[in-house]
Amino acid sequence: MKPWQITIIFIVALTLLASGSLAFARTRLVVLPARDAAVLRLAKGLPTLVQENRVLTLSKGVNPVDFSWQGVAIDPASIILCPLTGPDEARLLSVSYPPGENALVWEVYSSTDRELPVVISYLLQGIDHLVTHEALADAAERQMTLSSRLVLRNFSGENFPRALITLDQDTEFASLSRTGETRQIRFFESAGIPIEKTYVWDSSAMPHVPDPDGPAPGIPMGYEIRNTSEAGLGQHHLSGGKTRVFQQDSQGSSIFLGENQMDPVPVKDRTLLILGDSRDIQVTLRRMKTRKTNTRKNKAGAVQVYDEIVEDKFLVENFKSAPGTLTLRHVIPGQWEPVDMEHPYTLKAHDTLEFDIHLAPGEKKSISLSYKRLNLFTGRFSRYNRF
Amino acid sequence: MRPFQFKAGPGGGSRHWMRKNIQLAVLPILALCLVLPAAGFAKIDLSTLSGRDNVQITIYKSRDLTLVRDSRTLQFAKGDNRIQFSWANTRIDPTSLALELKTSTDLVSVKDMVYPPGAKDLAIWHIQAKQACQAQIDILYFTSKLSWQSYYMAFVSPDGRTMDLKGYVRVTNQSGEDYARAQTRLVVGKVSLLDKIADLAGQRYPFGRPDLMNAKDQAMRAAYADGMTLLKEVGAVKRSVPARPKKITKQGMSEYFLFTIEGRQTIEDKWSRRLVSFEARDIPVTDTYTFEAERYGAQAIHRLVFHNKKEDSLGAAPLPGGAIKVYQSLGSPGALAFKGADTTDYIPVGKQVALNLGPSRDVTVTPRLMKLEKANLIFDAKGNITGFDDIRDIKITLANYSGKTAALEVIRNIQSPNSRLSRVETQGRVEQTDQDTFTFYNMLAPGQTQTIQYRVTIQYRVTIQRGDAR
């Protein structure tokens, strides 16, 4: 069995007919040019582009070069032959596809007998990649080491004994890849990356009043990192992928904190990795009052439009022996205006308020909000009250 | 790959047979070539593997997840070395495999790791050594089907004022692998996982495979796999007999809590092991009774309340969730009465716990509607009714037939934000919990009966939405 399934049969025509039409002599010299090197260009969500460097031995005139493949899936329309010389010395004249074959024939013109270095590019199926990350946070949860691994899955039917692998155009390294194997290669590591620990409570997703007899809902906790040079990153974008986060412990070992799917992080951007739930910070939201005002009625006396004053009360408890900052996200649907907000907030969207609540160890905090929902419709337009 | 078994200790009973499904082989490439013509690889095996130094297992409670750290000291030859790790018939997640070099990385570096073609449950690390050397490594991986549960037994004093609490943990191994003399750690906390470890462990290809054409080069795979031999770890595991129960140390880690069992445990596949987690005495407790018709029905619920705090003989660590059985001492040694059982959730330090011991027959709550009135009827211009006030006078009779003072909370859900409470008569106090919930708090002496009376007025108006009468 040949190690490679992709072959180039280089057919040199010894004689050419003077009429200008191409014909082959009975005697042929068949050359199998070795693959010098291959570049595997990997990009997320796109087929893998293979680029091979080969050297063709050309005679003066027009040379047919047969490129065929078996047992691999190449997109025939993607195959490109690129001579690495000037167009006056050698150039590609035509491409033809034999019927019923996984092959194509290039006609390459050469001005002299020569060895012509070329790059052959094609899209190969059955080979792709994943990126996984592993992070190790320090015991104080202030810094972490991030390492990234490429998982090269080669089920293409083709072996690449020496391949230069490029990942998203800004990372490259050499490796081999055999068909049927999955290879994991660490291609990036950076230590001392600052992390910011964050707790997020979202009123649109969390229960307002925890069930006294049921499990307490955990508050999602995660680390925020920035892809900047100040953070020891910022050299290139961080590829998206499953990220497993560990933390050093006092026993010289580590524990697993959780995993999440990291979205690609462009340079200067940030990402938040939610790792698990905190059950030492608890939030209870109670609606203390709703009161209708400014009612507008029709002639029959039925209310058509009204405003509503709402009073909500958050009780936030920190059972930890360490301080923490909770991001409390509250959603108020529809048109509204503040009446009396006890705590400063950031308006993330017209209906989304974010409160940063700093909690001392063991601290309990109560935060009351009063706001007015405006122009609430009754009847058939009531569905517009949420938008 | 067949499981390998060896006798693990004196005695030779069936429980001492231990299965080793995880195998590790180190194959210096140069040495391999030299030895290949010979019949076997015994020389290589003996010269390169020094055995397992240490195993640490960290078992998570909220997920079917265990982190295993397998420490070894390996001998590397100069040049390229391959470490083969196989895990047939286990529940290991192959995507979690990682190798950490514990000694200087100047001499030894990990090039990559390969899951070879055609081989299942097998991975090979390629390691480059600048010179022949010995190095300590840790192999980390996730596995499933190791679990632990916590449970408690509470013994309330005869006077009902204090209780002794005993916590236990039980570790169960269904992973398919024996963990001999493992440092065992237990984690309380909810970790985020994208995939179930058991699912990852069962995948044919560790990371799956892309869609592809049907092209397989079995001969190539066979050739690649050829030359590998497995080293089977042998050796007896001494069964240590502790002179006293193992201690469990506790440590907070990020949002989780780590319980480390003292010493080392041998946890054989299919076995469970129970350990005492903690023991606390004289924890102050109070009996309270909760009545909330919508949640618990017509009977008051008996609750046993205590705090997980240092002043109350607890508070050293959060208490993992688990079943708790509550007994009451009857005075004479060994005489107990079963009071009830509950399942607790995770209890943070400082948090109050109110165990639900079920309906009480000793404390009763009987609400009665004493008066119903519709008032302030409103009509629109066409004479259609558009609103009224619903006025109800409620009388609640509380009775304590127990021999102790009972703290009672009566929760009343009015189920309308447009409500008003008036004419409240109670010997206790009342609090508005939220816009449509009021809670009455009363203390009842033994044998005492009390009444609560109030009027609730609910305004119903046709104002909000069609068909929604409020």
Side-chain angles (χ1 to χ4, degrees):
Chain A
M1 183 79 61
K2 288 180 294 188
W4 297 343
Q5 309 299 308
I6 300 167
T7 56
I8 296 178
I9 300 172
F10 173 51
I11 306 166
V12 178
L14 296 180
T15 59
L16 295 173
L17 292 181
S19 66
S21 64
L22 194 64
F24 300 111
R26 293 293 176 205
T27 306
R28 293 176 177 175
L29 177 64
V30 178
V31 180
L32 190 66
R35 175 194 278 159
D36 285 349
V39 178
L40 302 179
R41 297 194 184 278
L42 308 171
K44 191 72 182 170
L46 296 174
T48 298
L49 176 64
V50 180
Q51 293 194 292
E52 301 177 0
N53 287 313
R54 304 228 186 188
V55 177
L56 304 180
T57 304
L58 299 179
S59 302
K60 181 179 178 183
V62 178
N63 299 263
V65 179
D66 185 290
F67 183 83
S68 66
W69 59 96
Q70 287 182 337
V72 295
I74 290 176
D75 178 359
S78 70
I79 303 168
I80 300 168
L81 176 76
C82 179
L84 297 179
T85 58
D88 293 339
E89 299 161 25
R91 61 180 178 270
L92 178 64
L93 298 178
S94 70
V95 184
S96 54
Y97 298 90
E101 291 181 39
N102 285 328
L104 58 76
V105 179
W106 287 299
E107 287 181 350
V108 182
Y109 168 79
S110 175
S111 59
T112 60
D113 293 347
R114 71 172 68 246
E115 287 195 330
L116 176 67
V118 297
V119 176
I120 299 169
S121 306
Y122 51 88
L123 297 175
L124 181 62
Q125 291 181 24
I127 181 169
D128 71 355
H129 78 288
L130 307 168
V131 171
T132 64
H133 306 282
E134 191 176 296
L136 178 65
D138 63 3
E141 299 184 282
R142 296 211 176 94
Q143 294 185 333
M144 73 179 190
T145 299
L146 180 70
S147 61
S148 304
R149 292 186 176 90
L150 175 88
V151 179
L152 185 60
R153 305 187 297 183
N154 184 359
F155 294 87
S156 68
E158 180 73 354
N159 297 310
F160 296 96
R162 286 180 299 137
L164 183 70
I165 296 170
T166 72
L167 180 63
D168 294 330
Q169 299 185 345
D170 52 11
T171 305
E172 66 178 34
F173 47 88
S175 182
L176 66 85
S177 177
R178 291 185 167 90
T179 186
E181 78 173 18
T182 301
R183 186 172 290 262
Q184 205 177 51
I185 308 152
R186 189 171 69 184
F187 66 91
F188 172 75
E189 182 169 292
S190 180
I193 301 166
I195 51 179
E196 189 174 332
K197 191 173 178 182
T198 305
Y199 306 88
V200 181
W201 187 93
D202 188 335
S203 71
S204 63
M206 306 291 291
H208 291 189
V209 181
D211 181 352
D213 295 319
I219 299 202
M221 172 279 299
Y223 293 157
E224 185 178 275
I225 59 170
R226 293 162 189 261
N227 187 13
T228 61
S229 54
E230 297 80 24
L233 297 169
Q235 300 300 310
H236 54 78
H237 88 277
L238 297 175
S239 301
K242 182 187 273 191
T243 306
R244 285 177 164 157
V245 180
F246 298 78
Q247 185 190 12
Q248 290 173 338
D249 60 29
S250 60
Q251 301 167 355
S253 183
S254 59
I255 71 162
F256 175 63
L257 293 184
E259 68 181 18
N260 214 320
Q261 188 73 21
M262 183 159 76
D263 293 330
V265 188
V267 173
K268 295 186 178 175
D269 202 357
R270 65 177 78 179
T271 189
L272 173 63
L273 291 168
I274 295 293
L275 302 175
D277 288 351
S278 170
R279 291 188 291 176
D280 290 331
I281 293 181
Q282 294 183 0
V283 177
T284 304
L285 169 59
R286 294 186 190 276
R287 180 141 300 174
M288 302 308 292
K289 187 181 282 184
T290 51
R291 182 166 57 88
K292 284 181 282 297
T293 65
N294 191 24
T295 53
R296 282 147 279 177
K297 302 176 181 176
N298 62 13
K299 289 180 181 174
V303 174
Q304 299 295 298
V305 184
Y306 63 97
D307 298 342
E308 189 173 70
I309 293 175
V310 178
E311 289 180 19
D312 287 339
K313 186 176 176 183
F314 289 94
L315 179 65
V316 185
E317 298 170 272
N318 180 16
F319 292 101
K320 292 168 70 69
S321 57
T325 300
L326 170 72
T327 299
L328 200 150
R329 194 172 293 148
H330 192 37
V331 175
I332 304 174
Q335 184 185 358
W336 68 278
E337 65 182 21
V339 175
D340 184 10
M341 311 296 261
E342 197 180 20
H343 197 280
Y345 61 89
T346 307
L347 197 63
K348 290 291 181 184
H350 84 279
D351 61 350
T352 307
L353 294 72
E354 273 193 6
F355 300 82
D356 287 332
I357 315 286
H358 302 285
L359 294 162
E363 186 178 10
K364 283 186 185 180
K365 260 187 184 172
S366 169
I367 298 165
S368 294
L369 316 177
S370 177
Y371 51 91
K372 186 189 284 185
R373 298 185 65 200
L374 299 164
N375 296 322
L376 295 164
F377 300 143
T378 63
R380 59 183 172 172
F381 288 135
S382 60
R383 65 180 182 274
Y384 296 107
N385 291 340
R386 300 192 63 80
F387 305 108
Chain B
M1 215 168 296
R2 288 181 55 235
F4 175 70
Q5 296 184 326
F6 67 97
K7 208 168 187 176
S14 61
R15 62 193 297 238
H16 296 302
W17 284 91
M18 301 185 69
R19 183 164 52 243
K20 283 286 163 193
N21 293 328
I22 295 173
Q23 296 168 334
L24 188 70
V26 182
L27 298 175
I29 288 174
L30 181 59
L32 179 67
C33 297
L34 293 174
V35 182
L36 267 174
F41 298 97
K43 266 191 171 177
I44 294 172
D45 298 345
L46 289 172
S47 63
T48 54
L49 193 71
S50 58
R52 181 183 268 172
D53 297 340
N54 185 18
V55 185
Q56 180 190 70
I57 55 176
T58 307
I59 310 171
Y60 288 73
K61 189 166 192 292
S62 63
R63 303 279 190 177
D64 181 10
L65 163 71
T66 296
L67 172 64
V68 180
R69 181 180 286 266
D70 183 341
S71 303
R72 307 255 179 166
T73 303
L74 300 181
Q75 189 71 39
F76 293 102
K78 182 181 179 183
D80 291 328
N81 296 260
R82 291 187 290 179
I83 295 180
Q84 176 176 301
F85 186 77
S86 65
W87 59 91
N89 303 320
T90 66
R91 309 271 185 169
I92 290 176
D93 162 19
T95 70
S96 67
L97 276 175
L99 187 145
E100 282 183 9
L101 292 163
K102 304 303 285 185
T103 45
S104 167
T105 54
D106 293 343
L107 292 177
V108 182
S109 60
V110 181
K111 281 171 63 181
D112 58 21
M113 183 180 72
V114 178
Y115 305 94
K120 192 171 184 304
D121 300 333
L122 189 147
I124 297 167
W125 280 283
H126 293 106
I127 295 187
Q128 188 110 41
K130 287 182 180 171
Q131 63 185 54
C133 61
Q134 199 176 58
Q136 288 183 315
I137 64 161
D138 280 358
I139 294 174
L140 284 85
Y141 53 85
F142 292 156
T143 187
S144 66
K145 301 298 179 191
L146 277 150
S147 61
W148 70 278
Q149 298 83 35
S150 56
Y151 60 97
Y152 305 90
M153 286 191 186
F155 302 90
V156 180
S157 62
D159 65 4
R161 292 184 177 178
T162 60
M163 74 172 182
D164 298 341
L165 186 64
K166 250 187 171 178
Y168 301 90
V169 293
R170 190 172 67 212
V171 180
T172 304
N173 181 5
Q174 299 280 347
S175 70
E177 175 71 3
D178 298 326
Y179 290 96
R181 292 182 51 72
Q183 185 191 21
T184 305
R185 311 193 307 172
L186 314 171
V187 176
V188 185
K190 285 185 182 175
V191 297
S192 164
L193 275 186
L194 297 173
D195 305 292
K196 289 181 180 173
I197 299 302
D199 291 348
L200 294 173
Q203 289 203 133
R204 173 68 184 87
Y205 301 98
F207 285 88
R209 55 186 283 179
D211 294 333
L212 73 164
M213 61 290 178
N214 184 19
K216 290 180 181 174
D217 188 344
Q218 297 296 342
M220 177 68 68
R221 293 175 188 181
Y224 186 77
D226 192 24
M228 286 291 183
T229 189
L230 292 176
L231 194 68
K232 299 172 177 65
E233 186 185 1
V234 294
V237 177
K238 287 183 181 175
R239 184 177 294 276
S240 60
V241 181
R244 55 173 175 73
K246 299 268 188 182
K247 280 187 179 172
I248 296 180
T249 57
K250 295 131 182 140
Q251 181 193 2
M253 295 284 297
S254 189
E255 297 310 305
Y256 314 136
F257 225 84
L258 185 66
F259 294 76
T260 305
I261 299 170
E262 181 189 33
R264 301 195 173 275
Q265 308 294 313
T266 294
I267 306 171
E268 294 113 330
D269 186 31
K270 307 288 188 292
W271 282 73
S272 292
R273 187 172 290 270
R274 190 188 88 162
L275 300 151
V276 176
S277 168
F278 72 92
E279 197 168 351
R281 293 188 171 276
D282 298 329
I283 302 163
V285 292
T286 54
D287 288 289
T288 67
Y289 298 85
T290 304
F291 178 86
E292 186 178 6
E294 294 78 7
R295 190 186 296 272
Y296 303 117
Q299 289 177 290
I301 294 297
H302 180 197
R303 292 188 183 278
L304 188 70
V305 178
F306 64 96
H307 287 81
N308 183 19
K309 60 184 183 184
K310 286 184 178 165
E311 305 88 293
D312 290 359
S313 310
L314 287 169
L319 302 179
I324 180 165
K325 290 184 170 60
V326 180
Y327 301 86
Q328 180 149 30
S329 301
L330 298 177
S332 55
L336 296 174
F338 181 60
K339 294 193 74 173
D342 194 10
T343 301
T344 68
D345 187 31
Y346 169 86
I347 305 165
V349 173
K351 178 92 174 169
Q352 175 185 282
V353 188
L355 298 176
N356 181 344
L357 299 183
S360 168
R361 288 180 297 182
D362 296 332
V363 174
T364 61
V365 178
T366 311
R368 285 197 175 87
L369 176 62
M370 304 304 292
K371 183 181 178 185
L372 176 64
E373 180 185 342
K374 289 187 174 69
N376 299 328
L377 275 60
I378 304 169
F379 300 89
D380 66 14
K382 295 179 181 175
N384 298 320
I385 187 162
T386 59
F388 65 97
D389 291 351
D390 182 292
I391 302 170
R392 292 168 187 246
D393 286 349
I394 308 290
K395 180 181 178 183
I396 304 174
T397 305
L398 317 175
N400 177 14
Y401 302 111
S402 75
K404 295 183 298 179
T405 299
L408 184 59
E409 59 176 12
V410 178
I411 300 169
R412 303 297 287 167
N413 295 299
I414 311 300
Q415 296 177 342
S416 169
N418 304 313
S419 60
R420 184 165 52 86
L421 211 63
S422 60
R423 301 188 185 183
V424 176
E425 294 178 22
T426 176
Q427 291 176 255
R429 62 187 172 89
V430 61
E431 275 184 12
Q432 184 172 2
T433 314
D434 58 31
Q435 63 178 357
D436 54 6
T437 308
F438 298 89
T439 305
F440 296 89
Y441 298 93
N442 290 67
M443 295 292 290
L444 276 78
Q448 188 185 13
T449 300
Q450 292 183 14
T451 56
I452 297 170
Q453 295 188 70
Y454 62 88
R455 168 170 288 186
V456 61
T457 305
I458 304 172
Q459 290 184 334
Y460 290 93
R461 300 288 185 271
V462 182
T463 55
I464 296 177
Q465 293 179 27
R466 178 179 293 173
D468 184 5
R470 276 191 154 187

